[in-house]
Amino acid sequence: MEIKTVGICGFGQMGTGIAEVSAKAGVEIIAYEPDQKFLDKGLARINKSLARAVEKGKMDETAKTATLENITGVTDVNALVDCDLVIEAIVENLEPKIELYEKLDGIVKKEAIFASNTSSLSITQMAAATKRPEQFCGLHFFNPVPVMRLVEVIKTISTSEAAFEAAKAFGEKVGKVVVSCKDTPGFIVNRLLVPYLLDAIRALEAGVATREDIDNGMKLGCGHPMGPLELTDFIGLDTIYYIGEIMYAEFKHGHYANPPLLKSMVLAGKLGRKAGEGFYDYSK
Ligand code: CAA
């Protein structure tokens, strides 16, 4: 099945990023966000990102206009009825995701594929809440979506080969390099990344080095674009904490155990860039 129209549920950082790269590739996007305020904020974020691309000479005004014309924002979920693929990128919590999928299952055409952008929750559990588990997979993009070249396509034991191939083809169509993975907590990237970030926090907690030296160590010693503490601030300390909880619950391995420092910072609201403070101060 060729994917021409894509519904995006949740218009935060990930949803808007996925909408932007897809619309740029000529896919028609219907972005669903129940609150008009969040919808407007998401559209403004895309506008700003495209304006920045024009400014940097990566895109011309005609392409910017065409990209924006491919995106329709809606506050009524029924508008997703004719989508070929629906990608969910709402809050990283199983209960609202399942509630949304149950609703979508009764609205969106039977042949459509459902995909979750979850970074660690069980795709199989979400698929089981619908009558189309064979047309259900994971499509995990990375932040910032317009820059990061990867998408993980996740196949459950129920996903059909046809749906999996269509999802992979969609990932390639929107300009990403596709890696395939089975449905397991953290998939490929977070399975390796999260223990590394947690270990960096443990090193800081143990007084091994300063935050700057830990970050410079990995940036300059290993060529990473960001050090692990900077990257945790970028992703969000609450997100890393949440993924750590899910992975620890599954694997019961100390690699995935959240260090007390991370827990204290999350409880204190020091969530990273989005909160103005994390391991570093962003208030200025
Ligand atoms: N949208 C579009 N373009 C963006 C952007 C955004 N939000 N942020 C940066 N860019 C572009 C810039 O325009 C710039 O492009 P040019 O080189 O063509 O000029 C380029 O990216 C570099 O940006 P900057 O010069 O502003 O800043 P930088 O060099 O410090 O790079 C960064 C910023 C791209 C974020 C870089 O630091 C980086 O790659 N960091 C690592 C990010 C990462 O690891 N992300 C994955 C997180 S894990 C995840 O998402 C999954 C999960 O489940 C937790």
Side-chain angles (χ1 to χ4, degrees), residues 229-239 262 265-266 268-283:
L229 301 171
E230 264 183 296
L231 183 56
T232 304
D233 274 354
F234 181 71
I235 296 169
L237 274 70
D238 51 340
T239 303
L262 178 61
M265 291 179 71
V266 170
K270 297 177 195 292
L271 306 180
R273 278 199 196 187
K274 64 185 171 192
E277 191 185 354
F279 293 104
Y280 296 89
D281 181 6
Y282 303 92
S283 56

Side-chain angles (χ1 to χ4, degrees), residues 52 56 58 119 140 142-144 147-148 190 226 231 235:
R52 181 166 149 175
K56 291 199 162 191
K58 289 189 209 165
S119 50
H140 183 219
F142 293 82
N143 186 25
V147 181
M148 306 311 285
N190 281 334
M226 284 177 170
L231 183 56
I235 296 169

Side-chain angles (χ1 to χ4, degrees), residues 15 21 61 71 74 121 140 142 165 185 193 215 222 235 244-245 257 259 265 281:
V21 296
E61 276 295 342
I71 305 174
V74 297
L121 293 168
H140 183 219
F142 293 82
E165 288 305 320
L193 177 66
D215 279 341
C222 295
I235 296 169
E245 291 281 284
M265 291 179 71
D281 181 6

Side-chain angles (χ1 to χ4, degrees), residues 180-231:
S180 308
C181 183
K182 65 180 186 178
D183 186 24
T184 174
F187 314 128
I188 300 171
V189 175
N190 281 334
R191 188 187 183 107
L192 301 175
L193 177 66
V194 171
Y196 155 67
L197 299 179
L198 296 180
D199 270 345
I201 300 168
R202 276 188 264 276
L204 181 70
E205 196 171 37
V208 169
T210 62
R211 58 186 184 182
E212 289 84 0
D213 285 355
I214 292 172
D215 279 341
N216 277 332
M218 295 311 292
K219 275 195 287 195
L220 307 178
C222 295
H224 291 189
M226 284 177 170
L229 301 171
E230 264 183 296
L231 183 56

